[in-house]
Structure formats: C-alpha cells, structure tokens
Amino acid sequence: MQLFAPFELAGRRLKNRIVFPAVLSNYARENRVTTRLVDYYAERAAGGAAMLVTEGLSIHASSVPQPNVATVFDAANFEGFQRLAAAVERHDCRLLGQLWHVGRQQLWSPVDAPVGVSALPDAYSWSVPHVMTPEEIAVVVRAFVDGARTLQRAGFSGVELHGGHGYLITQFLSPWSNARGDGYGGDGDGRTRFVREILAGIRAECGAGFIVGLKMPGDERVPGGIDVDEAGRIAARLALAGGLDYIAFAQGNFSPSLEDHTPDMHYPPGPFMGLQKGLRERARPIPMLALGRVLDAAHAERLLGEGVGDLIGMGRALVADAALPAKALAGRAGATRPCIFCNVCWAEIHVGKPIACIHNPQLGTPGEAAWRPAPAVGKRRVIVVGSGVAGLEAAWVAASRGHDVTLLGAREAGGKARLESLLPGRAEVAKVFEFQLARAREAGVAFESGAPATAEQIVAFRPDAVVLATGSSMRRPSLSAESDAGTDAWRLVVGLGAAPGRRAGTAVLFDHDHGAGVYALADLLASLYDRLVLITPRTQLGRNVAYVGLLGVYRRLYRAKVEIVVAAVPKRFAAREVAHANAFTGEERTIEDVALFVYATPRLADDRLAAPLRARGLDVRLAGDAFAPRAMLAAVHEGHRIGNEL
Ligand SMILES: Cc1cc2nc3c(=O)[nH]c(=O)nc-3n(C[C@H](O)[C@H](O)[C@H](O)COP(=O)(O)O)c2cc1C
C-alpha cells in the first residue's frame, strides 16, 4: 500500500503517509500541558500515525482564547512539552507543534485585548481588533519564531503555522480581512509578508532539518476572500520564497463557510480533494498534506493513488480510533472504530469541555490505542435488554470480557440510531451500531429477538446481572383537550420508510428536541409536503447541534424554503389547523391546511422492567435513555462503562 510507503520532510523520515492534523483537545488546564494531553498524543503515535501536529498552541499573550489551550510562551510549560515530544517521538512518530495566533477571532469568550490586521469585524463574533502597528507585528513575528525555537529545544521535529480557518495568518493573507495600506497589505507580496517573515525567522533560528509546514485557506468561500485561484497564487509565491516543507489547505473561515472546515456527514467523503489536487500543482515543489473528511485507510489509499497529496491528514478519524493505521497495516481495517463525522468532538471543545467522541469512550486515556476489554474476574450470565447503541455497547464489552451475554432486542438492531440513519444525510450514524454489532458477534453475544422482553422471560434465564437499555419514548406535547394526537417523530420515520412519496398540504414539525436528527427529518418532510413549518419554543434552532453543523442545518432548511417560527408553543391541533402561542407574549397564531403535525419532544425513560426485576433480587443496571433520556454519546459511554463494570 502506498499509504505505508515512507516519506521525507526536511530530511526527517516519516514511516508512512498518515498524519494526525491539529485537533484541539481542551485537555490543557489553566493553559498548562497536562498528563491527559500527553496521553492523547502518545496514543495516536502508538496507533501508528507517522506524524502528529499538535492542537493550536498559543504563541503570545494577545492570543489566549481560553484556559484549555496550552501556551508556548510560558516557560512553565517547557517540561511538559519535553514530556510530550519524548512520548510521541519514541514511537517513530514525528511531532510538530501548531503555532497559533487567533488575531481578531473570538470563538470563545473575548480575549482581553484582541489585536488584528485591520479595523474590520470578525465574521463570527463581530469583534473589532486593535490594528497592529508594524512594531507590534514585529513582536508577534518574533513570538512565532520563539515558539518554534522553544519547541525545537523541547524535542519536537517541527512546527506548523496555523494559517487556516480565519485566524491571524489568514487575516493577513486574505484581501477580505486585510485592508492595510502599509507593506503588510495590498498585493500578494504585501499580504504574504507576515508569513514570509515568520518562515525566514524560523529557518534562521531552527535550521534546515526542522520541519516547517503551513495550513492555509484553499477557499474561504466569502466574496472578495481567498478563492481557489488566490490560494494557488499565494501557494506559488510561497513555493518561490522557499522555507516550507509542506503545505495543507483548509476551507472556510468564521463566516457561514466555517461549515467547510470540518465537513460533517452531510458532505460527500473528501469533499475538497479535487480542489486540493489542483492546488498541489500550484504549490509544487512543496509536498502537500491533503485533508478533510478522509474516512478510513482505504479511502486514504485511494486518494494517494489519485495524486491528491503526498501525505493524508485524518483528524476526526484518528480521534475515533487512534489505532486506525496499525489496524490497517495488520490487515484488520474492519476492526477500526469508524468516525461518523457528527462533529460532537467539535461541539464539546467549543463549549469549553474536554474533547469527546461518541463511540470512543477511551479517548485520551493511557493505553487507548491498544485498548481491549479486560478479562472479567468471574464469568457471569448477563442479560442485556435493548439493541440500541447503549445495549449493544454493554453487550459487546461484557462478552469480550468473558461473560455469557444474551441480548434481547428488536430484530433490527440500532434502536433510535437506526431510525436516524434512515434520514437524509444521516446514513453514517449506522456505522456506530454496525461496529458494535460486529464486535458483539465476534465476542459471541447470543441474540434473541421477538416480542418485547417480560420480567418472567428475563428471570427464566437465571441471570447474574441484567442491563436494561430499553430506551425511551417521546412524550405528547400538552395540547388542548379537543386536539388530535399528532405523531411522534420516530413513529413517523418508521411509517415513512414503508410508504415514501409526495404528500399534499402542510406539515408542521414541533421541535422541542434540537438534535441533528430532527433537522434531518425536516429535510425529509420538506421534500415530501407542499409546505413545512418548523416551530420551536426557543428563540433559535439547534441547541444540541455543533455550531459548524448548525450552519448546514440552516442552509438546508432555508434552501428548502422551510418556514421557521421561533418562540412558538403549540396549543391545539384540530380541524387541519395548528394553533401556537408566542412563548413570551402568549399571542396566538394558526397554521392552516395542516396534513401532518409531528413532534420531537423531551423523552420518557422506559425503565418499567427495573422494579419487578429488582423485586426478585436481581442485579439491574440502567443504561442510556432507560436511565435518563440523553444524546447518543451518553448512551454509548454509559453502555461502555457498565460493560466494563460487570
Ligand atoms: C475538534 C476539532 C478541533 C480542531 N482543532 C484544530 C486546531 O486546533 N487547529 C487546526 O488547524 N485545525 C483544527 N481542527 C481542524 C482539523 O485539523 C482538520 O482540518 C479538520 O478536522 C478536517 O480534517 P478531518 O476531516 O480529517 O477531521 C479541528 C477539528 C476538530 C474536529
């Protein structure tokens, strides 16, 4: 496989072509390197990647976006960086630190005193920075160079300049954000001066054998910004100037095009590979790191064959499974836990929490890459009730530990996740339970399906432990007494599967859930009905969708002409009319010609088997929605914990 052919950057050997690009973990605390941060990278190195780029490391006090970002300029971190470099490089894996200055960009809470290129508002926060003087620019250039030198002394193989996604380097490079009249603005020469000064400084201080890469925009997708042509011109200019060992292209900036920088499951695989292949030609002879929704090793191999890049970046795929390279190399690619590109990882870090992955509960723990369920002390007979993602996870983990596990569930496994996977753009959700099912079969879980399990049936197994992963159901919204019932969203999906086809009239979707699945249902209903009205009690949509994904949600809803009514509480559904009241004023409005009223609402746990089983003295654990209705991450992680505890 070409994927496992070695490569060379700055005279340093990469054992294969797989690179883990920068993925902020939020594992730093009070801007300090932590053991968990070191483990997160050490495990990705142990898993077989040839090169890791750390998450963005802040290079200057004017760029500390939040306390979970490690700073390079603070000497107190030096020992931590040394530990990090040693932990990664011992796996014959090159470690690069990503040097990061946010500039005007204020994704988290505002930094104290934002500095930037021009007095133009950031597209996300609308904050306007202090415009740096040439002297202040020189200080930041120096900080980049000092950062590189610090990391080199700590044992890193190189650095990557974070020039993508709308941060400070992008702000200089792009005519959309750079309106300077001095030598740092204007034409391509002026706009690239900042990054060229940094490159020259790093080369002068760190020498030729130190890898220096640049991540820069391939297409900002804003009018007047860096488009593909301009990206090609910038890359060609930088290639001529020299000093770069590789280049990577990222998409979007903090406008609505931000969606492109971590394309989710609604995008096709490798959506920007054609664009990157073209840019590779412009950047020659600089080697190229191609990235963006690369699914797995086979996909990466295909992309290399197509000449898309010299190296392949896999960020989220390696978050989901650090051992993806090792498994592919050993011919066990099928055992890789696949990323589903749900962007829950992105959502977690952007609310300031440590990174988390829906179906990698071991993320960032020591031994993650080689993790196997630990053998149980004594074999137990375990009954798992429910074949959704919580039950399947508990079942395969418990069975892998040596327990005798029988799973009582529906004929088609996957529960609510299976229903979600039937909706437009959500097919990849199925990879979660398909992975679990494969592991459960390998581990010898016995499956019994049929009518819902009863307490008597469970007791007849004489189990040592019972895991109830019986899920939840949607509660009916409280409508006035004379109302028709309406339909719950999941029941509707089952029904639509049986009878798809266009329908006359208006559909009203009551969104009291705000998860990604509801908006995929909206996409479907908009394509089936004459008109779709989406009503929600909040003042905006998508509280439970990552901001990057929410951009796509809005894009699809607006394109499909879905009418969005916020601050709306449904009151009545009768005589083909839905009446709803404003959540603040109570003012009522009606929607006419309503053929369908469907709701997605806070759910009710189905835990009815718990009491009768406990009354018979059984050890009963509740997993997932059956404990408390929550998102898929909680269900998988809880099933995992219980499978390990039994
Ligand atoms: C949770 C998360 C954090 C990220 N943090 C960074 C970062 O610190 N610096 C950066 O350049 N890119 C960051 N990215 C973008 C990735 O490096 C990469 O460009 C993007 O995820 C597309 O690659 P993938 O599809 O292989 O994940 C992040 C992406 C995610 C999902």
Side-chain angles (χ1 to χ4, degrees):
M1 281 173 98
Q2 211 178 328
L3 192 57
F4 292 100
F7 196 71
E8 211 172 83
L9 290 179
R12 294 184 186 232
R13 182 178 175 275
L14 309 190
K15 63 187 171 199
N16 59 48
R17 308 299 181 93
I18 302 174
V19 176
F20 181 55
V23 175
L24 181 60
S25 66
N26 271 1
Y27 286 148
R29 282 290 165 275
E30 293 177 22
N31 305 116
R32 292 283 153 79
V33 175
T34 60
T35 303
R36 186 141 197 210
L37 186 112
V38 173
D39 289 339
Y40 169 67
Y41 291 104
E43 292 301 326
R44 272 139 199 90
M51 182 167 100
L52 313 183
V53 182
T54 69
E55 58 208 77
L57 305 172
S58 167
I59 54 115
H60 190 254
S62 58
S63 169
V64 185
Q66 42 112 336
N68 305 326
V69 168
T71 49
V72 185
F73 59 86
D74 183 348
N77 267 330
F78 188 71
E79 191 269 336
F81 286 130
Q82 280 182 312
R83 271 192 295 129
L84 178 56
V88 169
E89 294 270 345
R90 79 184 177 86
H91 293 287
D92 188 20
C93 178
R94 304 289 76 84
L95 179 65
L96 273 59
Q98 190 181 55
L99 302 179
W100 186 28
H101 194 298
V102 297
R104 69 180 182 184
Q105 208 292 311
Q106 310 279 298
L107 189 52
W108 289 271
S109 56
V111 295
D112 290 344
V115 299
V117 178
S118 298
L120 294 170
D122 166 48
Y124 176 82
S125 59
W126 304 338
S127 62
V128 179
H130 161 75
V131 179
M132 286 192 284
T133 63
E135 294 71 31
E136 287 164 337
I137 292 174
V139 170
V140 175
V141 168
R142 186 68 235 167
F144 270 100
V145 177
D146 288 346
R149 182 69 192 114
T150 299
L151 295 180
Q152 186 182 37
R153 284 195 298 111
F156 284 53
S157 286
V159 290
E160 178 179 275
L161 307 179
H162 192 349
H165 310 158
Y167 295 110
L168 185 64
I169 293 177
T170 311
Q171 290 159 34
F172 270 102
L173 291 176
S174 173
W176 185 69
S177 43
N178 184 339
R180 294 183 77 95
D182 64 6
Y184 289 97
D187 60 10
D189 198 46
R191 283 182 281 111
T192 55
R193 179 172 162 191
F194 179 66
V195 74
R196 285 186 289 109
E197 286 184 358
I198 295 169
L199 284 171
I202 294 176
R203 274 292 165 239
E205 296 257 334
C206 300
F210 189 63
I211 302 170
V212 184
L214 171 69
K215 193 176 200 180
M216 65 161 278
D219 186 357
E220 282 187 285
R221 206 156 60 77
V222 286
I226 298 176
D227 58 11
V228 189
D229 288 341
E230 180 59 13
R233 281 190 289 273
I234 293 172
R237 191 179 291 276
L238 294 175
L240 210 63
L244 268 182
D245 296 306
Y246 75 88
I247 197 160
F249 292 95
Q251 318 305 317
N253 64 22
F254 280 90
S255 72
S257 70
L258 186 67
E259 203 197 336
D260 291 351
H261 95 294
T262 52
D264 68 13
M265 65 174 88
H266 291 262
Y267 284 67
F272 303 109
M273 290 301 160
L275 178 156
Q276 295 185 23
K277 188 176 177 187
L279 287 173
R280 184 187 188 199
E281 299 310 315
R282 305 296 306 275
R284 282 192 196 279
I286 308 176
M288 208 185 86
L289 164 61
L291 56 79
R293 193 152 141 68
V294 179
L295 308 182
D296 51 30
H299 186 202
E301 177 71 20
R302 229 173 23 252
L303 293 170
L304 280 176
E306 288 165 10
V308 164
D310 303 280
L311 302 166
I312 302 289
M314 284 192 261
R316 289 166 293 174
L318 287 176
V319 168
D321 195 334
L324 179 155
K327 287 176 181 171
L329 191 57
R332 294 177 50 242
T336 307
R337 190 182 299 104
C339 174
I340 62 166
F341 298 88
C342 60
N343 278 338
V344 162
C345 51
W346 199 97
E348 292 292 288
I349 62 155
H350 285 90
V351 293
K353 284 161 59 180
I355 191 168
C357 173
I358 277 202
H359 64 146
N360 181 6
Q362 298 291 330
L363 178 61
T365 58
E368 176 199 342
W371 184 82
R372 297 262 188 293
V377 179
K379 185 170 181 157
R380 302 178 82 193
R381 170 170 281 262
V382 177
I383 299 297
V384 176
V385 189
S387 53
V389 295
L392 283 172
E393 184 74 18
W396 85 259
V397 172
S400 306
R401 296 181 55 228
H403 293 308
D404 172 0
V405 180
T406 299
L407 189 145
L408 311 179
R411 197 168 48 79
E412 286 188 292
K416 306 282 189 315
R418 192 181 69 80
L419 294 180
E420 183 173 342
S421 74
L422 301 174
L423 293 169
R426 307 302 293 172
E428 262 157 293
V429 170
K431 290 183 176 180
V432 174
F433 58 85
E434 282 164 0
F435 172 83
Q436 295 171 319
L437 263 177
R439 302 289 80 75
R441 291 198 178 107
E442 272 169 16
V445 172
F447 287 88
E448 292 205 7
S449 60
T454 61
E456 288 64 38
Q457 194 188 348
I458 295 164
V459 171
F461 280 97
R462 304 167 74 86
D464 300 309
V466 179
V467 180
L468 289 180
T470 33
S472 61
S473 56
M474 281 180 185
R475 74 188 66 214
R476 288 173 63 173
S478 50
L479 302 177
S480 64
E482 74 276 19
S483 293
D484 301 341
T487 313
D488 95 49
W490 298 126
R491 243 186 260 285
L492 181 76
V493 175
V494 174
L496 286 174
R502 284 219 32 102
R503 288 149 161 81
T506 296
V508 176
L509 171 56
F510 174 44
D511 174 16
H512 196 183
D513 176 279
H514 280 214
V518 178
Y519 305 111
L521 176 61
D523 294 341
L524 178 64
L525 294 177
S527 72
L528 296 181
Y529 283 82
D530 293 338
R531 176 183 176 220
L532 173 63
V533 184
L534 193 157
I535 63 176
T536 189
R538 289 211 177 100
T539 51
Q540 55 193 26
L541 302 182
R543 174 121 198 285
N544 301 325
V545 181
Y547 176 70
V548 272
L550 191 55
L551 295 164
V553 165
Y554 276 113
R555 181 172 49 76
R556 288 186 292 276
L557 293 180
Y558 283 126
R559 275 204 187 140
K561 309 257 185 291
V562 174
E563 293 164 49
I564 299 167
V565 185
V566 296
V569 181
K571 292 290 175 189
R572 196 174 59 255
F573 170 45
R576 286 178 72 86
E577 273 189 8
V578 168
H580 58 89
N582 183 280
F584 300 95
T585 65
E587 186 190 341
E588 274 206 15
R589 298 243 165 116
T590 54
I591 305 167
E592 287 161 10
D593 187 29
V594 177
L596 172 76
F597 174 67
V598 54
Y599 53 85
T601 46
R603 304 182 298 274
L604 286 162
D606 183 351
D607 58 359
R608 69 194 109 160
L609 288 171
L613 292 173
R614 283 185 178 138
R616 287 165 159 100
L618 286 175
D619 170 2
V620 176
R621 328 265 173 122
L622 291 165
D625 276 13
F627 179 77
R630 287 153 295 162
M632 204 192 317
L633 181 141
V636 175
H637 286 220
E638 206 155 78
H640 191 81
R641 177 177 55 72
I642 291 172
N644 278 304
E645 283 172 1
L646 285 168

